[in-house]
Amino acid sequence: MGALLLDYLLILPGWLLAFFGLVLATPSTGSRSRAASGGPSVGVVLALVGYALMLGLTIWNRYIRAGRTGQSWGKKVVGIRLVRESDLRPIGAGMASVRDIAHIVDGFFYQGYLWPLWDPKRQTFADRICSTVILAH
């Protein structure tokens, strides 16, 4: 969980940029000065850049980096790595993204996120679906 929180911290600048862009893009009642200076269009551009930054960092960190090395930035800081159960090698970018999608199953009643508490291999449902394990480094 700590690694995931750190991974989200990495995309915080994108969230902030998108938020401030949306604030600028939202027209305020009775204010003509912002509309005349191009405020909404600048805000839309900032929001789009923020969303693109979040998407790019997520793809690089959680899929490409974690797929190649077994460690996203957060996993590296926490000292864990994600590997295939069969050969203990990194799973690749494609399977890293599939595993993230498979976490939807973990979200049903949060049971999948709690499953590692009593599972002998400490796997979530997404790990079982993708045949992956998390190892302490």
Side-chain angles (χ1 to χ4, degrees), residues 22-86:
L22 290 174
V23 168
L24 283 176
T26 305
S28 60
T29 56
S31 172
R32 292 182 179 199
S33 61
R34 192 170 11 165
S37 67
S41 60
V42 169
V44 169
V45 169
L46 285 176
L48 291 174
V49 168
Y51 289 129
L53 182 63
M54 287 187 294
L55 181 62
L57 285 172
T58 298
I59 290 171
W60 168 78
N61 183 49
R62 294 190 53 82
Y63 308 139
I64 296 171
R65 186 177 199 280
R68 287 182 184 163
T69 67
Q71 293 181 306
S72 66
W73 178 73
K75 284 181 179 68
K76 184 172 180 79
V77 170
V78 173
I80 58 177
R81 63 188 176 107
L82 172 67
V83 295
R84 280 191 301 256
E85 188 174 13
S86 62

Side-chain angles (χ1 to χ4, degrees), residues 83-107:
V83 295
R84 280 191 301 256
E85 188 174 13
S86 62
D87 60 4
L88 303 182
R89 299 199 53 167
I91 63 174
M95 280 306 294
S97 61
V98 168
R99 183 176 175 268
D100 261 9
I101 294 168
H103 275 304
I104 293 170
V105 178
D106 290 327

